[in-house]
Amino acid sequence: MNNSEQKVVAVIMVGGPTKGTRFRPLSFNTPKPLFPLAGQPMVHHPISACKSIPNLAQIFLIGFHEEREFALYVSSISSELKIPVRYLKEDKPHGSAGGLHYFKDLIMEDNPSHIFLLNCDVCCSFPLPEMLDAHRRYGGMGTLLVIKVSAESASEFGELVADSVTKELLHYTEKPETFVSDLINCGVYVFTPEIFNVIHDVHTQHEDRANLHTLSSYDALRLATKTPTKDFVRLDQDILSPLAGKKQLYTYETMDFWEQIKTPAMSLKCSALYLAQFRFNSPGLLACGDGIKNPTVVGDVYIHPSAKVHPTAKIGPNVSISANVRVAAGVRLISCIILDDAEIQGEGDYKRKLGITILGEAVTVEDEVVVVNSIVLPNKVLNISVQEEIIL
């Protein structure tokens, strides 16, 4: 079968409510994968990128959020992209590789030649077709997207060493205590189906290890609360590290932007990065205005079609305004994420200013209130100015 006939599937790991706790309080009311960045749910950006993969058959979202939380979005995005998108709920956390293996039969039902694996909380340009081309040239089992970062920040991620010519992954270590390399793992992969055999072998090793020990019921209970179950398989420690240097894994380096979306502050930065990317891949999503019939727009701004923004308001740069938001006369917004149904009141003299701020759903900001470097959770009414606060 030639490349033009080979089907590809994509799997996006979306985690669950016990994961991503550093993203709180933003995830209290909205599941992290559905929190809007640049006006679109976080998971929408990798899903949209997958549309560019040749012969894409299906997209799977794997996690342990409740299915009802994703049902409406999955139905909507499937219709929009005209590609089946399915949410698969784990009965318990299985790890990044274990979750893939747990749904092996569903993932393989189209007999794909390649499987993309992406983490939902990664913000980048997702050069997926280029990765697939490189992967086919390498001829290995898997290819990792990698990027160079500063030596100071490298230890926060999985550091790796790759052959400068062949791009083979020679060494991989997750969050090392001492500096190894300024090349890090971006959390985006493409594999051949052989990856399932490797994960199965790790399962078997875990089972064999467990069977070697005959424990008292007390010891077994104590260990069960401290160690992962035998079907919990981590992609980094259990798969990538052991396979490094065995001509199985290769790397594809991106020269574009990349960030991890772990904290509320990073959501503002990543929203700005995606807004900037819209200039090149979705310019129609960006607002424009000259302050006459529409608000004055500075830089990259997204305004939902249902939002009502007064022509005397000044918006941007790096602002996203969600559905049914109302922005009154003379309001100034800079580096903000404004969620559904929020209202920012005003009289037309630029005394209402929001900067580096996230407003939750149905928040009301009254006249002459200034909000800077703050997060306001849903259904709050602000009648005094706040700075560097989280309003719960």
Side-chain angles (χ1 to χ4, degrees), residues 19-235:
K19 290 281 193 179
T21 54
R22 283 187 289 168
F23 201 68
R24 295 174 182 169
L26 299 184
S27 55
F28 282 158
N29 296 83
T30 303
K32 180 180 174 181
L34 298 181
F35 185 83
L37 303 176
Q40 310 292 334
M42 183 185 299
V43 71
H44 186 92
H45 299 283
I47 288 177
S48 296
C50 289
K51 185 72 162 53
S52 66
I53 301 171
N55 300 320
L56 181 68
Q58 290 197 71
I59 300 172
F60 299 94
L61 311 181
I62 295 179
F64 41 101
H65 294 277
E66 292 300 322
E67 292 181 53
R68 57 180 168 75
E69 295 180 303
F70 279 83
L72 186 61
Y73 174 72
V74 164
S75 173
S76 171
I77 193 64
S78 296
S79 299
E80 179 184 329
L81 297 184
K82 296 180 173 53
I83 291 175
V85 179
R86 299 164 67 179
Y87 176 68
L88 306 177
K89 183 179 183 294
E90 298 178 79
D91 57 346
K92 60 183 178 182
H94 291 86
S96 48
L100 193 70
H101 190 267
Y102 186 74
F103 292 108
K104 173 188 174 183
D105 291 344
L106 288 172
I107 293 169
M108 291 301 298
E109 66 185 5
D110 288 307
N111 194 29
S113 63
H114 293 87
I115 302 141
F116 273 93
L117 179 63
L118 301 85
N119 284 299
C120 173
D121 60 355
V122 163
C123 169
C124 69
S125 58
F126 297 104
L128 306 182
E130 296 85 350
M131 273 188 76
L132 183 59
D133 288 343
H135 173 76
R136 284 171 168 151
R137 291 196 306 271
Y138 299 150
M141 184 183 68
T143 297
L144 296 68
L145 186 68
V146 302
I147 192 171
K148 282 187 178 179
V149 298
S150 68
E152 293 75 23
S153 63
S155 61
E156 300 172 19
F157 310 101
E159 295 182 28
L160 56 96
V161 177
D163 187 288
S164 60
V165 177
T166 67
K167 308 304 179 184
E168 182 192 352
L169 179 68
L170 301 176
H171 178 73
Y172 183 89
T173 180
E174 184 70 16
K175 298 178 182 176
E177 294 183 3
T178 58
F179 178 75
V180 174
S181 167
D182 59 358
L183 205 59
I184 65 164
N185 177 10
C186 290
V188 179
Y189 315 87
V190 58
F191 294 107
T192 63
E194 292 174 69
I195 188 65
F196 289 113
N197 297 331
V198 177
I199 301 172
H200 177 75
D201 290 344
V202 174
H203 273 171
T204 303
Q205 292 168 16
H206 287 180
E207 289 176 349
D208 291 346
R209 197 175 302 133
N211 293 335
L212 283 175
H213 302 284
T214 303
L215 303 174
S216 69
S217 58
Y218 170 76
D219 286 337
L221 179 62
R222 179 173 56 83
L223 285 173
T225 61
K226 291 186 176 182
T227 58
T229 58
K230 60 180 179 293
D231 55 355
F232 189 94
V233 181
R234 302 159 300 184
L235 186 63

Side-chain angles (χ1 to χ4, degrees), residues 266-291:
M266 286 308 301
S267 69
L268 282 167
K269 181 175 182 179
C270 292
S271 185
L273 288 169
Y274 281 137
L275 285 169
Q277 190 184 31
F278 284 170
R279 276 184 255 151
F280 305 101
N281 60 15
S282 302
L285 291 176
L286 292 176
C288 57
D290 56 8

